[in-house]
Amino acid sequence: MKIIYLSPWFYTYRVPVFDEFFKRLGSHFLVISYRNQPNVHGQLAQTQGVFQRKLIGGREFTISRRHDEGDETPFNFHFSPKLTTTLKTNQPDFVISNNFSIWSLTAILMGYPTVLFWEGTQHTERTVSVWRNRLRQWMAGKAHAFVVTGTLARRYLVDIIKVPDHKIFEHGMCASSPPAALKTRRDRTDNSMLRFVCVAQLIGRKGIRHLLHAAKKLKNNDEPFRNFEIILVGCGPEKQNLTNLTNQLDLTSVVRFTGQVAPKDIWHIYAEADVFVLPTLQDNWPLVVLEAMSSGLPILLSKYAGNASDLMVPGLNGYIFDPTNHKELADLLAAYIRTPSMISSQGKSSLEIARSYTPEAVVNSFFSAIESIKRK
């Protein structure tokens, strides 16, 4: 059985999955991707892993440019004139392709049994036009099976795109594990500085301004909390605006911007933190949540994150919140300061939940999808 995975671009978190495919299939597994990756993360990923890859020329045309503000679903057009030739040359038995893309459409029209990997939810796809949904419905009728990240992605396909439930398989995503040397977290005492960490691009849809407003309420609480720190890890066009807001809210003593951190160094950030916070306004299935859980951190997660229903058991490994409700978030932050014993117990629960999200589990989901096609 020969499988080709069409992934115009991929980041380092996908490398362990591709390596697991290669471990099982050897030379019968091939990843086709763009030669020219759009950013440093994609360029780094191309140099990693042992799996076979074929890099071809092509371009991504961005139609929608408002995605970073959280008010429009991204709309990108992938074009590569050599894709059809590369598929014909390699003659796969099955194709796996990301999303409802031109590459996916190409594989379907060429007659290859195709599994689509899908991440979107009804929230992230809420601005998709009627004609795009109609096109997706048509493609879904031609695709043979789907692998999705979790329950909200499944619900979108079933409720909006009208995909039969039996054609959908979950568990399509995993994160890298922390290095063994960093699996031991820092010791903390009840009166030590409590560190909340947020790892995200500094863009509008990540909702970081709401976290800053919540921090202001926390600092000005009737029982004022000062023994805490908000660590913001990432870079982006909102950096100056967020810095200005930090100054305006008089938070310079409790907010720290680290800038961009290399993937291999992010584990040091998690190891020194106590609680992970993501106030996103729109995200499919943010992997940073699973990374933080794999590091043994409790999670405060926005209800607009697509993996909230998959990874969160409120009260067990953290809490789900509305990022626009600053008091709600401030109260949750305060709960960890008042009762630091929650950090250890919830962190252990995070670790247990994260253990089932492995490259092996992801590949098993794709093989289950392929087996369902074989049975037809």
Side-chain angles (χ1 to χ4, degrees), residues 175-242:
S176 302
S177 297
L182 289 176
K183 288 187 177 179
T184 301
R185 300 184 36 70
R186 75 173 178 119
D187 292 327
R188 70 178 317 281
T189 61
D190 286 354
N191 61 355
S192 63
M193 176 74 72
L194 199 151
R195 297 170 181 153
F196 299 98
V197 64
C198 174
V199 180
Q201 286 180 280
L202 303 186
I203 54 180
R205 69 179 170 88
K206 294 297 182 178
I208 297 170
R209 63 187 182 277
H210 296 298
L211 176 57
L212 294 177
H213 282 289
K216 176 65 172 178
K217 285 188 174 294
L218 182 63
K219 187 179 176 186
N220 291 351
N221 195 286
D222 290 339
E223 53 174 305
F225 295 107
R226 303 187 185 280
N227 204 25
F228 73 93
E229 184 178 30
I230 305 287
I231 304 171
L232 299 176
V233 181
C235 62
E238 283 290 298
K239 170 66 183 298
Q240 190 57 56
N241 290 338
L242 293 171

